[in-house]
């Protein structure tokens, strides 16, 4: 066994918490994929940047990339429009003159640690002051709608996976949509038919678009409990489509799965959605995917546009957010927060879920970061014992770091909520599930027209 293991690649895979299992190449401790002698020669594939290729093999690879066929087929679809939801030129001019390329986590940390201690504390003060004006708007809304009892009671297709924490989250998302009138439960004692789904008022819906659909279980629950005519699942990755198979068995239900990046989806060009009232949903839309989805639904509306009746997006992974794609730069700038400070704030958000602080947090509003920072500035900051931001961060209590992260998350989501209001829907942020079930428990919900928008 020892001889066999010594022949394996020594590259450590942090996500899998083990070394690479491939055989190392001669005269190296690594396999061909991880050999240090090839470091720096790898470049992102122009067809699919999620994987890399040796620069010397690029010309050969682009002709044979596994995603080439899919990309060619996708580019021929009417609803494909490269970068349509990435942000327009006018938005790009807001902020600073820095490059709009992807800002990595490492780059964000460098921005943070390049600050002076004084600048760091000034940013904390700014975050605390801004958050104080929005925190009262985020209420608890843990709902278990009666319409979803067939799922809560496990009266569903046994081939579908059942995890209670996910079912509770999905049920509360749909319950919040029902509460604002964007969904109406159908009679679960009889099979929903075309007449049951006939529009009775201006607020009825007959379609659902799920962004970042994954395997489609949120839409499966909606279809089982509320009844819809059309289902559109938007997801760029490939999954084993268990929910799709179950959905296709439903009578009078049309299902379309669109394997496309939300950034490139022109929803107005989906002909079968023209003039159709629909709800948009998303469970844990990571980072910029939330901003892309909002732009996709609300930026370009005309007479043939799909009719958005309601929206429910559970946000998450704010540390991945980018200035380039963020939906409400104008709001962030109005708070006196710069582009670089925005990226630093997104970096702070990762602290919110470190070691699952969310499950035992006493309350974001109950901890005053200004008080602790004032003590540091008046006392220890007067000497040179803490001369860098990195040292200050290391000295912060874990709970203070978590609170700072949650406050930054809520500020980022508040900008999104205000943007939705500006674009015609009455919107709000709620905590849709207890933090003990998921620390990522903020839901952006929108429905009835915003009366303040003409």
């Amino acid at each position: 066994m020892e001889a066999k293991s010594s022949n394996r690649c020594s590259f450590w895979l942090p996500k899998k918490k083990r070394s690479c299992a491939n055989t190392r190449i001669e005269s190296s401790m690594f396999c061909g994929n991880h050999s240090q002698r090839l470091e720096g020669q790898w470049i992102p594939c122009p067809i699919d940047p999620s994987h890399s290729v040796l620069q010397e093999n690029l010309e050969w690879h682009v002709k044979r990339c596994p995603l080439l066929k899919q990309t060619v087929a996708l580019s021929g679809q009417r609803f494909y429009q490269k970068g349509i939801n990435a942000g327009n030129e006018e938005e790009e001019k807001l902020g600073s003159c820095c490059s709009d390329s992807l800002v990595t986590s490492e780059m964000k940390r460098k921005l943070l640690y390049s600050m002076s201690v004084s600048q760091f504390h000034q940013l904390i003060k700014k975050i605390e002051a801004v958050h104080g004006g929005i925190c009262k708007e985020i209420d608890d809304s843990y709902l278990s709608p009666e319409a979803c009892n067939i799922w809560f009671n496990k009266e569903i297709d046994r081939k579908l996976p059942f995890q209670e924490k996910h079912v509770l989250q999905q049920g509360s998302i749909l319950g919040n949509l029902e509460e604002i009138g964007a969904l109406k439960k159908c009679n679960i004692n009889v099979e929903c038919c075309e007449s049951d789904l006939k529009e009775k008022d201006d607020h009825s819906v007959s379609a659902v678009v799920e962004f970042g659909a994954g395997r489609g279980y949120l839409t499966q629950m909606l279809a089982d409990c509320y009844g819809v005519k059309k289902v559109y699942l938007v997801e760029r990755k490939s999954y084993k489509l268990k929910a799709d198979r179950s959905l296709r068995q439903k009578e009078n239900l049309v299902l379309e799965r669109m394997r496309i990046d939300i950034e490139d989806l022109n929803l107005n060009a989906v002909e079968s959605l023209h003039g159709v009232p629909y709800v948009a949903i998303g469970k844990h839309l990571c980072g910029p995917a939330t901003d892309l989805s909002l732009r996709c639904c609300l930026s370009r509306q005309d007479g043939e546009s799909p009719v958005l009746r309601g929206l429910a997006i559970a946000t998450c992974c704010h540390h991945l957010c980018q200035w380039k794609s963020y939906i409400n730069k104008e709001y962030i700038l109005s708070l006196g927060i710069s582009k670089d400070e925005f990226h630093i704030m997104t970096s702070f958000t990762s602290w919110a879920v470190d070691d699952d602080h969310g499950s035992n947090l006493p309350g974001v509003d109950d901890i005053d970061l200004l008080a602790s920072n004032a003590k540091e500035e008046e006392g220890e900051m007067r000497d040179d014992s803490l001369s860098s931001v990195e040292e200050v961060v290391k000295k912060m209590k874990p709970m203070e770091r978590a609170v700072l992260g949650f406050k930054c998350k809520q500020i980022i989501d508040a900008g999104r909520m205000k943007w939705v209001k500006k674009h015609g829907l009455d919107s709000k942020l709620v905590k849709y599930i207890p933090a003990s079930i998921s620390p990522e428990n903020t839901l952006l919900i929108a429905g009835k027209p915003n009366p303040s928008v003409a």
Side-chain angles (χ1 to χ4, degrees):
M1 289 295 294
E2 184 176 348
K4 183 178 180 180
S5 61
S6 64
N7 195 39
R8 287 184 175 178
C9 174
S10 299
F11 188 85
W12 181 256
L13 304 170
K15 289 186 178 180
K16 296 184 178 180
K17 297 182 179 180
R18 63 169 175 80
S19 296
C20 173
N22 293 335
T23 303
R24 63 184 178 88
I25 60 177
E26 292 184 15
S27 68
S28 175
M29 295 297 293
F30 306 94
C31 66
N33 289 331
H34 300 128
S35 176
Q36 289 184 335
R37 69 184 179 86
L38 298 177
E39 188 175 357
Q41 300 177 27
W42 295 88
I43 60 174
C45 170
I47 297 173
D48 177 23
S50 66
H51 67 271
S52 300
V53 61
L54 276 172
Q55 187 169 8
E56 62 193 64
N57 295 336
L58 181 61
E59 185 177 353
W60 177 90
H61 176 82
V62 294
K63 298 177 182 178
R64 297 165 177 82
C65 178
L67 289 181
L68 178 61
K69 185 176 180 180
Q70 175 196 331
T71 303
V72 172
L74 182 61
S75 62
Q77 298 290 336
R78 288 191 60 187
F79 55 74
Y80 174 83
Q81 189 169 338
K82 184 68 175 175
I84 187 174
N85 301 315
N88 58 43
E89 292 181 3
E90 183 177 346
E91 285 181 316
E92 296 301 327
K93 294 176 183 177
L94 293 171
S96 70
C97 58
C98 299
S99 170
D100 287 315
S101 59
L102 178 70
V103 181
T104 64
S105 296
E106 182 179 356
M107 293 166 69
K108 291 177 181 181
R109 282 193 296 270
K110 287 182 178 179
L111 281 173
L112 170 61
Y113 295 142
S114 67
M115 300 176 80
S116 68
V117 173
S118 176
Q119 288 173 328
F120 175 77
H121 285 295
Q122 287 300 317
L123 178 58
I124 301 300
K125 288 180 180 179
K126 195 181 296 183
I127 291 169
E128 190 79 351
V130 169
H131 185 267
I134 66 168
C135 62
K136 295 180 181 178
E137 299 178 13
I138 306 177
D139 298 322
D140 293 344
S141 186
Y142 314 150
L143 301 181
S144 300
E146 182 183 354
C148 296
N149 280 347
I150 57 173
W151 271 79
F152 297 144
N153 298 331
K154 302 182 183 180
E155 301 169 3
I156 57 171
D157 183 351
R158 293 186 178 181
K159 293 181 180 179
L160 294 171
F162 183 96
Q163 286 186 284
E164 185 176 11
K165 70 173 185 177
H166 294 305
V167 171
L168 291 174
Q169 292 177 63
Q170 292 164 189
S172 187
I173 290 173
L174 301 181
N176 275 281
L177 274 171
E178 181 183 330
E179 187 175 64
I180 64 172
L183 284 180
K184 296 186 183 299
K185 65 178 181 179
C186 68
N187 187 353
I188 61 175
N189 296 317
V190 297
E191 186 71 24
C192 288
C193 60
E194 189 75 16
S195 59
D196 294 325
L197 296 172
K198 187 176 181 180
E199 296 179 23
K200 297 179 181 179
D201 56 53
D202 291 338
H203 298 291
S204 61
V205 299
S206 57
V208 56
V209 178
E210 182 177 358
F211 293 95
R215 292 173 174 84
Y217 296 131
L218 176 56
T219 289
Q220 175 75 60
M221 191 174 188
L222 188 153
D224 285 348
C225 304
Y226 292 92
V228 288
K229 298 177 185 177
K230 298 179 180 180
V231 168
Y232 301 84
L233 302 179
V234 182
E235 174 59 61
R236 66 180 180 181
K237 296 180 180 179
S238 177
Y239 285 95
K240 293 181 179 178
L241 311 178
K242 293 182 179 179
D244 296 46
R245 289 192 287 271
S246 178
L247 287 166
R248 292 186 192 281
Q249 294 174 6
K250 291 183 174 292
E251 296 182 8
N252 303 314
L253 178 68
V254 177
L255 170 64
E256 184 173 349
R257 179 175 278 271
M258 294 180 281
R259 189 176 174 189
I260 185 174
D261 194 310
I262 302 169
E263 181 177 297
D264 306 322
L265 173 60
N266 181 357
L267 206 60
N268 290 356
V270 180
E271 293 184 0
S272 56
L273 254 181
H274 282 182
V276 175
Y278 76 102
V279 292
I281 56 176
K283 179 174 175 281
H284 292 171
L285 270 175
C286 292
T290 293
D291 303 298
L292 302 176
S293 299
L294 294 177
R295 224 180 245 113
C296 184
C297 292
L298 290 166
S299 283
R300 292 159 297 276
Q301 294 186 321
D302 54 40
E304 291 188 344
S305 299
V307 183
L308 182 62
R309 294 298 190 207
L311 178 148
I313 293 179
T315 63
C316 81
C317 299
H318 297 71
H319 63 283
L320 298 175
C321 289
Q322 299 287 318
W323 180 259
K324 177 180 179 180
S325 55
Y326 184 66
I327 201 75
N328 203 348
K329 301 179 182 71
E330 185 178 358
Y331 168 73
I332 294 295
L333 293 172
S334 72
L335 300 175
I337 297 172
S338 68
K339 172 181 177 179
D340 287 346
E341 288 175 331
F342 173 83
H343 279 135
I344 292 170
M345 286 174 57
T346 65
S347 179
F348 288 158
T349 64
S350 64
W351 297 346
V353 291
D354 282 352
D355 299 323
D356 195 24
H357 292 306
S359 61
N360 54 21
L361 206 62
V364 172
D365 307 322
D366 298 331
I367 297 180
D368 187 355
L369 295 174
L370 288 178
S372 59
N373 277 311
K375 290 179 181 178
E376 291 180 0
E377 288 183 298
E378 292 175 4
E380 295 161 342
M381 290 300 103
R382 288 182 176 175
D383 59 36
D384 296 328
S385 60
L386 297 176
S387 58
S388 70
V389 171
E390 188 169 4
E391 292 176 356
V392 176
V393 169
K394 288 180 180 178
K395 197 174 183 298
M396 290 177 68
K397 296 176 182 178
M399 197 59 68
E400 291 176 343
R401 287 161 52 101
V403 168
L404 177 58
F406 273 107
K407 289 186 176 182
C408 290
K409 279 175 172 285
Q410 291 177 354
I411 292 171
I412 291 170
D413 285 338
R416 291 162 164 168
M417 179 265 292
K418 291 177 182 296
W419 186 89
V420 173
K421 277 188 177 181
K422 186 178 178 181
H423 282 73
L425 291 181
D426 192 12
S427 62
K428 62 181 178 178
L429 295 173
V430 299
K431 296 176 183 176
Y432 75 102
I433 207 77
S436 57
I437 294 178
S438 173
E440 300 279 25
N441 64 345
T442 299
L443 183 71
L444 171 57
I445 188 84
K448 299 175 182 178
N450 182 9
S452 65
V453 177

